[in-house]
Amino acid sequence: GELEREARELRDAYIAECNARVAYFEDRFRTAEREARETMGGGRELQAGWFLAGLELMEAAGRGAELVQRLETKLSENDKYYRTSKNKRDSQALGSIAGKFRTIGGLRLVLTRALEEIVKSRDDVLKGVKGLLHDPTDEEVERCGNCGDCKANLFKKGETCMHCKVQMQIDLYKNRLYRHTAAREKSSARGEGQKARAY
């Protein structure tokens, strides 16, 4: 009847608008991804450890111990800030790496592992975002409508939707990139583990 026709028209208009938005953001994502890969060479420089040459130069110049001492001092100063932080979660998450190395070799290992974690997080984010670039199934639509994370303020208690799962990956990547500076800045952005809200 008339009511069904109007419902279909509303649904079609809504889907058309959503598809246009998806196409727009997909184009932006692919452009950003291409530029990032061109800039970083696909991450090879990051994984190769561009800092190794600098550490080797400091060591060859006989200044390795001095560098380690200065880094330990600076990191210890940061630790004092985090220990006095009112946000215990930030204080724990941004814990010290000062005690994880005593030599240039130890510092090299710590930095290499940290960069490997960043590269893995970035790849997980790219994979997750690419996984959203398709027409959703009925099951995915239902899961998004009942998500206990982003729809919590609507009293939904369903399984976490794929958008929130990808957002968690983005939060983890962001926190690994900026773990020693983000806590100092007040931001309205959603933090790792923090609930989203549906509007």
Side-chain angles (χ1 to χ4, degrees):
E2 184 67 17
L3 188 59
E4 289 181 352
R5 184 185 63 78
E6 289 180 4
R8 281 196 302 271
E9 288 177 356
L10 285 172
R11 179 180 181 277
D12 291 345
Y14 177 76
I15 289 175
E17 181 183 348
C18 288
N19 286 341
R21 290 179 62 197
V22 167
Y24 169 72
F25 285 110
E26 180 179 356
D27 180 64
R28 286 185 58 188
F29 166 73
R30 295 199 183 283
T31 300
E33 180 187 24
R34 185 182 68 252
E35 291 173 354
R37 292 199 179 280
E38 288 172 359
T39 301
M40 300 189 63
R44 289 188 294 275
E45 291 85 350
L46 190 62
Q47 290 173 302
W50 52 265
F51 54 86
L52 294 177
L55 294 179
E56 288 171 5
L57 285 173
M58 292 294 290
E59 200 168 21
R63 300 184 63 187
E66 176 191 348
L67 174 63
V68 168
Q69 181 60 47
R70 291 181 69 177
L71 284 172
E72 285 182 334
T73 300
K74 187 64 178 174
L75 289 168
S76 295
E77 290 173 2
N78 288 346
D79 291 343
K80 290 176 185 176
Y81 168 82
Y82 294 124
R83 279 196 295 270
T84 59
S85 172
K86 293 179 180 179
N87 190 330
K88 292 184 179 179
R89 182 173 63 84
D90 286 341
S91 180
Q92 292 167 357
L94 302 170
S96 174
I97 65 167
K100 294 184 179 179
F101 63 91
R102 292 282 181 265
T103 64
I104 285 285
L107 175 60
R108 185 182 296 117
L109 181 61
V110 168
L111 291 176
T112 299
R113 286 180 176 170
L115 288 175
E116 286 172 352
E117 287 181 358
I118 289 172
V119 169
K120 183 181 182 306
S121 289
R122 185 196 65 191
D123 291 343
D124 288 345
V125 167
L126 291 175
K127 183 179 177 182
V129 171
K130 286 178 179 178
L132 298 176
L133 302 178
H134 66 276
D135 290 334
T137 64
D138 291 342
E139 181 184 348
E140 288 172 334
V141 171
E142 184 176 352
R143 187 182 304 163
C144 286
N146 293 297
C147 178
D149 187 355
C150 61
K151 304 295 188 303
N153 61 320
L154 300 178
F155 307 106
K156 302 294 184 177
K157 297 182 180 179
E159 183 183 348
T160 301
C161 70
M162 60 278 194
H163 300 103
C164 287
K165 287 179 179 178
V166 172
Q167 183 61 55
M168 289 174 191
Q169 292 175 324
I170 292 171
D171 294 339
L172 179 61
Y173 179 47
K174 176 189 70 177
N175 290 345
R176 282 185 171 156
L177 279 177
Y178 304 111
R179 72 170 61 180
H180 293 296
T181 57
R184 294 174 187 248
E185 301 172 4
K186 290 187 177 180
S187 171
S188 59
R190 174 181 171 193
E192 183 179 350
Q194 185 179 358
K195 293 288 186 184
R197 290 180 63 82
Y199 294 99

